[in-house]
Amino acid sequence: MELINEIPNLDLSASFNLKDRDNMTSFSNYKKQVPKKFYIFRIVLVASVGGFLFGYDGSVITGALPFLTEYFHLSATGQGVAVSSAALGAIVGPLGSLKFAERIGRRKTMIVAVICFSVSAIGNALSITIWDFAFWRFVTGIGVGLAMISSPIYIAELSPPKIRGQMVNMNQLSNVLGILLAVIASYFFSFSGWGWRWMFGSEVIPSVLLAVGLIFIPESPIWLSVHGRFKEALYILTKINGVSQAQNELHAIKTEIVKERDTSAELLQPGFKRALIVAIILMIFSQINGVNMMLTYAPTILADAGIKMGTNAILSSIPIFLFIFVCTIIAFYLIKHFSRRGLLITSVLFMAVGHVIMAINLQEHWPPLYTLIPMSIGAGAFTLGLAPLSWVIVSEIFPNSARGKGLAIVCFFLYLSSFITSLAFPILTHWFNSRFNNTSGVYWIFFCICIGCLIFSYKMIPETKGFTLDQIGEFWRAHSSGIRKNREGIPLVKRF
């Protein structure tokens, strides 16, 4: 247990048995290294593979759904199966990542995820029946589930505290880039009845490019430290933070590892159990709030509002996704200058407003293009707040050695709720439409859910901005003893 004293002073002149020696030509050059923001940005951009895969896959099914419905003669339940089968696979992904992310590392787990994604893309493109299609969508979900756990963990563990929120938001930016590329691909492939096959087949191209990029990025320094590979961890930390800060960071990591030897028991202690429950509920709200469903079923919703099915519906959804992209860029500034809690609460409030306007729009039968207004309000608010911050907060909230297990448990519930919502949404809209001749009731339900999320965020979400991962872990440890301050004596929960 005397882990801190195992290597009290690392000999920097010793040889580094590293696979990622990039740009380290001599020890003298190594010692002169200073923090490099571009180096971090480049790594994080590649590592946000999980967000890209999630966005691309979600938008491909969005564009393909009208054609799948026609080709496979799908009912409302069949549409739910086609969409939700990926979410069902994503439930399995986190369970697999309990072994993968901790045993083989964050980077290799992301590579496995990309392989799953590539193989399933080909399977989806060649599907003969809806059940073939659902099976390969399930495999896609496994890959997405693996990536969406390993990517945020990796980014959070690699990023300095001052820019960690912005770097984790890169995952959301990659998500939006994936959405945009998929929408554009869907539009160009939508002029043929067989175009849906090319929509899914096109997923192979970005997958291969991402797999190549993942080969050249380093492993997480925290994962390396947990596995006793301190010299490699120090090298990576030095490239990120500079020599002196790297030594301090490594000492803090080693101290935290000593306190967190039994990771399963750690998560069940009062303070960390509370963190686990908070993280689970927050991520469930991020899936059942309704905005994801508006985006997933965008062409279908626009078609129901009076915009022609197929190509025109896909084209009409492009402004929404472009707006989301702009909001994602703005989110970098907001995350840097405002508190996590303040942004989260404001975001959920405007999402609730968007659902109210959508419900009234459908009740009053406003002109079809007016549907874009509440969709834009909800999607914009979601993208500026809840979408990135749910991942930022959850990736920060767990102790270092238990982060992989904690996030795997959280993502299990996340994708379970996503599966249920994706399956239920077309069934609910069909029921409301047949019973009341409009689907406004669905959005009143989503409004109530957003109000619940608003109250939860205000009461339960701690402020984590500006603190190291070790300080956040110390806060939850202190919280189990009834102390609401971190080791520096700074209260976290109510800080704005």
Side-chain angles (χ1 to χ4, degrees):
M1 294 298 290
E2 294 298 322
L3 181 62
I4 298 178
N5 296 321
E6 284 182 18
I7 47 170
N9 291 299
L10 291 178
D11 182 6
L12 298 181
S13 61
S15 60
F16 287 84
N17 184 23
L18 302 176
K19 295 179 180 179
D20 53 344
R21 293 174 179 264
D22 53 304
N23 299 325
M24 191 180 79
T25 57
S26 68
F27 174 66
S28 59
N29 288 338
Y30 168 75
K31 288 190 72 175
K32 293 177 183 178
Q33 287 180 21
V34 294
K36 297 179 179 179
K37 287 187 179 180
F38 180 74
Y39 174 76
I40 300 169
F41 176 82
R42 180 174 48 124
I43 292 174
V44 169
L45 186 61
V46 174
S48 54
V49 55
F52 183 90
L53 297 182
F54 190 69
Y56 197 99
D57 178 71
S59 279
V60 163
I61 189 64
T62 296
L65 188 59
F67 302 99
L68 292 171
T69 302
E70 182 180 351
Y71 185 85
F72 291 120
H73 307 289
L74 299 179
S75 63
T77 303
Q79 290 180 20
V81 169
V83 174
S84 64
S85 51
L88 185 61
I91 295 173
V92 177
L95 298 178
S97 73
L98 284 169
K99 296 287 186 183
F100 276 82
E102 296 297 339
R103 182 165 295 181
I104 69 173
R106 320 316 193 194
R107 184 176 66 90
K108 290 180 180 177
T109 300
M110 288 187 278
I111 293 174
V112 172
V114 171
I115 292 172
C116 290
F117 196 73
S118 302
V119 172
S120 64
I122 297 172
N124 281 322
L126 299 177
S127 296
I128 303 301
T129 69
I130 185 58
W131 299 112
D132 297 334
F133 181 81
F135 169 77
W136 288 113
R137 290 283 296 158
F138 178 84
V139 177
T140 301
I142 293 175
V144 171
L146 287 171
M148 287 300 282
I149 288 179
S150 51
S151 294
I153 293 175
Y154 178 90
I155 295 170
E157 291 180 344
L158 202 77
S159 304
K162 290 184 179 180
I163 61 171
R164 187 173 57 242
Q166 294 169 283
M167 291 297 99
V168 176
N169 191 43
M170 286 293 298
N171 203 51
Q172 178 66 15
L173 178 62
S174 293
N175 182 293
V176 175
L177 287 174
I179 290 172
L180 281 174
L181 286 177
V183 170
I184 293 169
S186 297
Y187 174 71
F188 283 108
F189 289 132
S190 65
F191 295 99
S192 167
W194 286 68
W196 64 269
R197 297 186 184 276
W198 289 107
M199 293 180 193
F200 289 101
S202 67
E203 298 178 19
V204 174
I205 298 173
S207 298
V208 171
L209 294 175
L210 288 168
V212 172
L214 286 169
I215 294 172
F216 296 100
I217 64 174
E219 184 52 82
S220 158
I222 290 180
W223 183 85
L224 291 170
S225 299
V226 169
H227 288 78
R229 295 161 63 177
F230 297 105
K231 292 182 180 180
E232 297 174 59
L234 181 61
Y235 167 64
I236 296 167
L237 287 170
T238 300
K239 293 199 72 173
I240 296 170
N241 298 307
V243 176
S244 60
Q245 182 62 26
Q247 290 277 12
N248 294 334
E249 284 287 326
L250 184 61
H251 184 271
I253 291 169
K254 289 158 61 181
T255 302
E256 195 72 8
I257 292 171
V258 171
K259 295 177 181 177
E260 300 167 1
R261 273 308 199 184
D262 188 349
T263 59
S264 299
E266 185 84 2
L267 285 174
L268 295 178
Q269 291 178 6
F272 290 114
K273 183 166 68 174
R274 182 185 178 92
L276 180 63
I277 293 171
V278 167
I280 289 172
I281 295 174
L282 178 62
M283 293 307 267
I284 289 175
F285 273 127
S286 77
Q287 295 303 304
I288 67 174
N289 62 76
V291 174
N292 279 333
M293 292 302 98
M294 283 200 296
L295 298 178
T296 301
Y297 290 92
T300 304
I301 292 171
L302 293 171
D304 291 341
I307 297 174
K308 187 179 178 181
M309 286 288 283
T311 297
N312 287 346
I314 294 173
L315 187 62
S316 298
S317 66
I318 289 178
I320 297 174
F321 294 117
L322 287 173
F323 177 66
I324 290 173
F325 177 77
V326 173
C327 289
T328 304
I329 300 299
I330 296 172
F332 281 96
Y333 175 84
L334 297 179
I335 290 172
K336 180 179 180 181
H337 290 90
F338 295 95
S339 71
R340 310 269 200 261
R341 292 183 72 243
L343 279 177
L344 184 64
I345 292 168
T346 305
S347 165
V348 176
L349 178 61
F350 276 93
M351 286 163 57
V353 171
H355 287 314
V356 170
I357 297 174
M358 183 64 134
I360 296 172
N361 163 49
L362 295 172
Q363 287 176 192
E364 300 299 323
H365 303 287
W366 290 349
L369 286 178
Y370 279 37
T371 305
L372 293 173
I373 296 174
M375 289 182 75
S376 297
I377 293 173
F382 181 65
T383 307
L384 289 170
L386 181 58
L389 288 175
S390 57
W391 286 106
V392 170
I393 293 170
V394 168
S395 66
E396 295 174 331
I397 208 168
F398 295 112
N400 286 329
S401 60
R403 188 166 294 111
K405 289 184 173 66
L407 197 54
I409 295 169
V410 168
C411 284
F412 172 82
F413 286 98
L414 180 154
Y415 289 116
L416 178 62
S417 59
S418 176
F419 168 72
I420 294 171
T421 308
S422 299
L423 185 63
F425 182 78
I427 298 173
L428 275 174
T429 53
H430 177 74
W431 185 84
F432 274 104
N433 198 40
S434 61
R435 189 75 179 267
F436 303 102
N437 203 31
N438 67 71
T439 59
S440 62
V442 176
Y443 297 96
W444 286 117
I445 293 173
F446 288 142
F447 165 75
C448 294
I449 290 171
C450 285
I451 294 301
C453 182
L454 183 69
I455 296 170
F456 169 79
S457 299
Y458 180 77
K459 293 283 188 180
M460 301 296 295
I461 299 297
E463 181 57 67
T464 57
K465 182 180 179 180
F467 295 97
T468 67
L469 298 178
D470 307 304
Q471 287 173 325
I472 295 170
E474 187 71 20
F475 161 73
W476 287 111
R477 191 173 291 104
H479 197 286
S480 65
S481 304
I483 303 170
R484 293 179 177 244
K485 295 183 178 182
N486 69 3
R487 63 175 173 233
E488 304 298 331
I490 303 172
L492 288 172
V493 174
K494 295 299 181 182
R495 193 175 75 93
F496 276 86

